[in-house]
Amino acid sequence: MTSEEIYYTIALTRMTGFNQQMALQLYQTLGSGKAVYDHRHDLGDVMPAAAPRLRAAMKNWDDALHRAAAEMEFVTKNNIRILTLGDDDYPRRLSECPDAPLLLYYKGSADLNQRYVLNIVGTRHCTTYGQDLIRRFIADLRKQCPQVLVVSGLAYGVDVCAHRHALENGYETVGVLAHGLDQVYPNAHRDIARQMLTKGGLLTEYMSQTEALPNNFRQRNRIVAGMSDATILVESAYKGGGLITCRIAQEYGRDVFAYPGAVGMPYSEGCNKLIRNSTAALITSAADFLEDMGWVTQQQQPAAIERQLFPDLTADEQAIVGLLQQSNDLQLNLLSVKTNIPIGQLTALLFSLEMKGVVKPLAGGAYHLLA
């Protein structure tokens, strides 16, 4: 995407007040941020469904464009990358979500499209029990499955514990923020945030000078859930932000896991509730998680498929295999978009390839090429 288009897209997010569904609707209907700007005075003609209030609000872009120019100067000065929806580096799992941000601000070194991505969330009042669960889970996971990106929200408690143990075990870890990259909240986590910039990163949809308002944290949770294959809830009260992330992950069709806790303990109530309601799968170890997710571990060496046994792959099957060779473990919806094959037909083709031993389905609706 050109600098000019990024400039107008930043302004568009400002014009819509970070209402992602509205921004996406305008962007997708007109094709670009610049096109929305060009039609600011005749929006009703090109988008008849636009409400009168929206048409009026979209006419004056002066302040938004001034703010966008300042933001582009800020990101350039601070080596921040702007990832727009559709970019190769934009988190592809997140791009499948209906309320994905039009753009993200990213500073760091991690591949946001790592082979496996999980998030670990929970209470800000993490107990010794919860800390020990996180420590053992990440240490054991690292021994068995090294290709994992660990995501959380850099908050007190479970979040920062997950980031810390990820770093200690050699994992890259990304913190998703509820404010701009000109600050770190809470301030006490500045040191670990600096470490994450060289072994992970910081990600946000908010431009600089955005305060960490309560609603921003709820919005942030959808990015944590959307960019991950699975959500793990470690400890949670009966109500809490971790439960919101789990609900969003479930709505996105992602896998949700929860560690059980002692009956009656306040920060086990949320986890036990999810398990009781079959909203989350019970987890007790990294081995449980890997088995349920079907992730390939260091101990597993999938047998190579002898392609000559299947010389009769159809053109559509070859297209699917070719795409998975470029980027393995893709979700069904993304496979459909990239191959231009309707979901119904694609499902039948994938079943055929599965019967031939060429692919296998993974938890969460993704497909893995076996060779």
Side-chain angles (χ1 to χ4, degrees), residues 164-201:
R164 184 173 293 115
H165 286 296
L167 291 171
E168 289 175 356
N169 285 278
Y171 273 142
E172 292 183 319
T173 182
V174 168
V176 184
L177 309 181
H179 49 76
L181 289 174
D182 56 331
Q183 59 180 303
V184 171
Y185 178 87
N187 187 63
H189 294 166
R190 282 187 171 275
D191 287 344
I192 193 168
R194 278 193 287 268
Q195 296 176 49
M196 291 165 64
L197 292 178
T198 58
K199 190 66 177 178

Side-chain angles (χ1 to χ4, degrees), residues 13-14 73 75 83 91 146 194 200 218 238 270 310 329-330 352:
T13 63
R14 185 78 175 182
E73 182 178 346
V75 300
L83 309 177
R194 278 193 287 268
R218 290 188 287 271
Y238 197 77
F310 309 113
D329 302 345
L330 294 179
S352 174

Side-chain angles (χ1 to χ4, degrees), residues 83 91 104-114 117-121 148-155 159-160 162-164 166-167 171-177 181 192-193 195-197 199-204 220 223-224 227-228:
L83 309 177
L104 294 165
Y105 302 94
Y106 177 52
K107 187 168 185 177
S109 58
D111 178 5
L112 302 180
N113 291 304
Q114 176 61 274
V117 183
L118 70 85
N119 70 73
I120 300 175
V121 296
V148 178
L149 176 65
V150 178
V151 177
S152 199
L154 200 62
D159 288 17
V160 73
H163 292 308
R164 184 173 293 115
L167 291 171
Y171 273 142
E172 292 183 319
T173 182
V174 168
V176 184
L177 309 181
L181 289 174
I192 193 168
Q195 296 176 49
M196 291 165 64
L197 292 178
K199 190 66 177 178
L202 302 176
L203 183 71
T204 184
R220 179 272 308 275
I223 298 177
V224 172
M227 67 183 291
S228 307

Side-chain angles (χ1 to χ4, degrees), residues 98-365:
D99 53 356
L102 273 179
L103 54 82
L104 294 165
Y105 302 94
Y106 177 52
K107 187 168 185 177
S109 58
D111 178 5
L112 302 180
N113 291 304
Q114 176 61 274
R115 184 175 187 179
Y116 303 127
V117 183
L118 70 85
N119 70 73
I120 300 175
V121 296
T123 179
R124 298 187 179 206
H125 306 281
C126 189
T127 68
T128 301
Y129 167 73
Q131 294 170 27
D132 189 54
L133 290 178
I134 296 168
R135 178 187 59 78
R136 286 191 287 111
F137 174 83
I138 293 180
D140 291 345
L141 188 70
R142 183 65 177 83
K143 294 174 185 176
Q144 301 177 67
C145 192
Q147 294 177 294
V148 178
L149 176 65
V150 178
V151 177
S152 199
L154 200 62
Y156 287 114
V158 168
D159 288 17
V160 73
C161 189
H163 292 308
R164 184 173 293 115
H165 286 296
L167 291 171
E168 289 175 356
N169 285 278
Y171 273 142
E172 292 183 319
T173 182
V174 168
V176 184
L177 309 181
H179 49 76
L181 289 174
D182 56 331
Q183 59 180 303
V184 171
Y185 178 87
N187 187 63
H189 294 166
R190 282 187 171 275
D191 287 344
I192 193 168
R194 278 193 287 268
Q195 296 176 49
M196 291 165 64
L197 292 178
T198 58
K199 190 66 177 178
L202 302 176
L203 183 71
T204 184
E205 66 181 309
Y206 297 107
M207 60 179 63
S208 61
Q209 301 179 41
T210 301
E211 295 183 22
L213 301 174
N215 187 60
N216 293 0
F217 288 94
R218 290 188 287 271
Q219 291 294 313
R220 179 272 308 275
N221 291 346
R222 83 186 195 287
I223 298 177
V224 172
M227 67 183 291
S228 307
D229 298 304
T231 292
I232 298 178
L233 184 68
V234 176
E235 287 187 304
S236 173
Y238 197 77
K239 293 182 179 180
L243 294 176
I244 294 174
T245 305
C246 290
R247 175 181 56 77
I248 296 171
Q250 188 179 43
E251 291 173 353
Y252 288 160
R254 309 298 163 79
D255 292 276
V256 178
F257 298 84
Y259 272 98
V263 173
M265 295 301 290
Y267 295 112
S268 294
E269 289 184 355
C271 293
N272 291 345
K273 178 178 70 171
L274 292 190
I275 296 169
R276 184 182 69 246
N277 296 340
S278 299
T279 305
L282 184 149
I283 183 176
T284 62
S285 66
D288 287 351
F289 175 76
L290 289 169
E291 180 180 358
D292 285 355
M293 291 299 295
W295 287 3
V296 177
T297 66
Q298 287 185 326
Q299 290 75 30
Q300 296 169 323
Q301 296 295 331
I305 300 298
E306 295 185 28
R307 292 280 181 236
Q308 62 269 26
L309 296 179
F310 309 113
D312 58 341
L313 291 183
T314 68
D316 284 341
E317 288 174 338
Q318 291 283 8
I320 295 168
V321 169
L323 182 58
L324 290 174
Q325 285 175 329
Q326 297 174 28
S327 182
N328 211 352
D329 302 345
L330 294 179
Q331 299 280 336
L332 181 64
N333 288 343
L334 199 56
L335 277 168
S336 178
V337 170
K338 289 184 175 291
T339 60
N340 201 30
I341 300 174
I343 291 288
Q345 180 183 350
L346 181 61
T347 302
L349 290 166
L350 287 166
F351 179 75
S352 174
L353 289 171
E354 183 183 350
M355 292 301 98
K356 294 175 180 178
V358 179
V359 304
K360 74 170 183 177
L362 301 178

